């Protein structure tokens, strides 16, 4: 990898037409083994609920399977959505992971719901803590306890706590807390330079982190062919269109199904809005854009989310991205 810049994986365990959720989860484990061999630093899994197209409803459980199947790569959540959980339960779950796999567990935290309002109503701490209070309590469990209650097990090497967000305000909050921060360019393209600058300006050293660690998470689909890369990337976006307009409970369409679809002008605009700010194409086409983003953000680490229906093409994409970053 390029000196000073690490590259890591963000995964949503996408479920494609003809597959079961279990197939998607097993592919995540297989992908983690592949990217570990390629030198990726971390493998993070997202949290989504009531979304059949994405199998990542329980980051801690999936992370445990990935940790058991790998040996060196750090594994964690990107992110556990704290409003959905009791901080105590999160501390216990990730305490178990860190006890079994010391020095390899990350706990990325976000504040979105990650699903429908109906699903969110069935999750969460009945106390409905403010996000800042919940985060503070979570920290306390990894430092001896909170309110006289201890989260067991108490690992000798606690998980690294990160914040994940998509705004300058969330970045500044991470800086004030002295935590590493990931800006989700994959969700909100274009705001990463300003957000990471706000993070660095606000940063205060903490027991967890002496200097700022600023990261950016992108969607990337690399292929030897520009045309194939765009065809692969279009399947996930077409799935988003189907979920918004036809069936919220659908799984994701295949590459062939997507290629056969005639996009309306409105759908074509949506496709472009989702793909153009991201990094889709051959290495020759996307390498200069990745280099430009890393230069403008001064990011210490690049997280890559690749959601395509062909598993071998997905692995190949991560291989090409690793080569791009190592050449910068």
């Amino acid at each position: 990898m390029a000196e000073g810049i690490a590259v890591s994986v963000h995964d949503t365990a996408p479920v494609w037409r003809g597959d079961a959720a279990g197939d998607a989860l097993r592919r995540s484990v297989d992908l983690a083994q592949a990217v570990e061999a390629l030198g990726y630093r971390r493998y993070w899994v997202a949290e989504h609920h009531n979304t059949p197209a994405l199998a990542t409803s329980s980051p801690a459980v999936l992370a445990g399977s990935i940790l058991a199947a790998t040996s060196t790569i750090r594994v964690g959540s990107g992110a556990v959505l704290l409003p959905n959980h009791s901080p105590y339960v999160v501390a216990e779950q990730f305490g178990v992971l860190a006890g079994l796999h010391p020095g390899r567990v990350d706990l990325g935290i976000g504040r979105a719901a990650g699903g429908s309002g109906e699903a969110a109503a069935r999750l969460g701490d009945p106390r409905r803590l403010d996000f800042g209070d919940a985060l503070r309590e979570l920290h306390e469990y990894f430092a001896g306890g909170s309110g006289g209650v201890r989260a067991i097990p108490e690992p000798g090497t606690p998980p690294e706590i990160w914040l994940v967000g998509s705004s300058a305000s969330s970045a500044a909050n991470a800086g004030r807390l002295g935590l590493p921060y990931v800006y989700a360019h994959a969700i909100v393209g274009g705001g990463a330079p300003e957000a990471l600058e706000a993070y660095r300006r606000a940063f205060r050293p903490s027991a967890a982190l002496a200097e700022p660690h600023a990261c950016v998470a992108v969607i990337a689909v690399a292929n030897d062919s520009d045309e194939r890369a765009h065809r692969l990337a279009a399947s996930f976006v077409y799935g988003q269109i189907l979920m918004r307009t036809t069936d919220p409970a659908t799984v994701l369409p295949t590459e062939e199904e997507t290629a056969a679809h005639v996009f309306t002008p409105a759908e074509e605009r949506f496709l472009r809005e989702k793909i153009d700010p991201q990094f889709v194409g051959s290495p020759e086409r996307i390498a200069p854009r990745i280099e430009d983003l890393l230069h403008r953000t001064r990011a210490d680490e690049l997280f890559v989310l690749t959601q395509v229906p062909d598993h071998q093409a997905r692995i190949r994409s991560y291989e090409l991205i690793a080569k791009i970053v190592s050449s910068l």
Side-chain angles (χ1 to χ4, degrees), residues 14-314:
V15 183
W16 305 96
R17 189 96 64 211
D19 289 339
D23 298 318
L25 296 170
R26 283 184 284 273
R27 282 194 295 266
S28 290
V29 175
D30 184 73
L31 178 61
Q33 293 171 324
V35 298
E36 180 178 60
L38 292 170
Y40 279 72
R41 179 173 291 182
R42 307 175 202 276
Y43 195 105
W44 283 10
V45 294
E47 178 184 338
H48 294 91
H49 298 282
N50 198 29
T51 309
L54 304 172
T56 46
S57 60
S58 182
V61 175
L62 180 53
S65 293
I66 293 171
L67 282 159
T70 55
S71 58
T72 58
I73 195 169
R74 295 188 66 94
V75 181
S77 57
V80 162
L81 303 176
L82 199 53
N84 290 339
H85 306 280
S86 157
Y88 187 54
V89 172
V90 175
E92 289 185 323
Q93 291 174 342
F94 279 79
V96 169
L97 294 177
L100 288 169
H101 305 280
R104 293 184 58 209
V105 178
D106 294 331
L107 175 48
I109 296 293
R111 65 187 308 167
S116 66
E118 293 82 357
R122 289 162 170 78
L123 296 163
D125 188 331
R127 297 173 297 166
R128 297 297 176 188
L129 296 175
D130 173 83
F131 180 77
D133 292 336
L135 185 60
R136 190 175 307 109
E137 183 177 311
L138 179 63
H139 273 280
E140 289 170 354
Y141 288 127
F142 291 117
S146 177
V149 177
R150 295 164 63 188
I152 305 297
E154 295 173 323
T157 304
E160 288 187 4
I161 297 179
W162 295 55
L163 285 189
V164 180
S166 56
S167 67
S169 60
S170 69
N173 186 43
R176 287 189 293 270
L177 294 171
L179 295 175
Y181 178 74
V182 182
Y183 177 83
H185 176 95
I187 297 174
V188 181
E194 294 77 14
L196 295 191
E197 182 58 32
Y199 167 71
R200 293 187 184 93
R201 285 198 308 268
F203 185 82
R204 300 172 185 168
S206 67
L209 197 64
E211 297 180 352
H213 190 77
C215 312
V216 60
V218 305
I219 292 171
V221 178
N223 191 273
D224 299 289
S225 158
D226 275 328
E227 180 183 355
R228 179 85 198 285
H230 280 269
R231 194 163 67 241
L232 287 164
S235 291
F236 187 84
V237 181
Y238 181 36
Q240 291 179 299
I241 291 171
L242 292 175
M243 284 186 275
R244 289 169 182 237
T245 62
T246 304
D247 180 8
T250 188
V251 294
L252 297 164
T254 64
E255 183 179 352
E256 294 75 19
E257 184 181 347
T258 304
H261 177 70
V262 178
F263 287 81
T264 67
E267 290 173 341
E268 185 65 35
R269 286 193 297 273
F270 183 82
L271 186 72
R272 297 270 58 85
E273 288 170 3
K274 293 295 182 182
I275 289 180
D276 289 352
Q278 306 301 328
F279 302 85
V280 177
S282 66
E284 293 77 17
R285 184 173 297 275
I286 66 175
R289 296 185 58 234
I290 291 175
E291 183 176 21
D292 177 65
L293 178 70
L294 294 174
H295 174 74
R296 289 187 295 112
T297 60
R298 296 185 290 130
D300 301 299
E301 193 165 344
L302 177 70
F303 282 78
V304 179
L305 171 61
T306 302
Q307 303 168 116
V308 299
D310 183 325
H311 185 56
Q312 292 307 311
R314 192 182 188 198

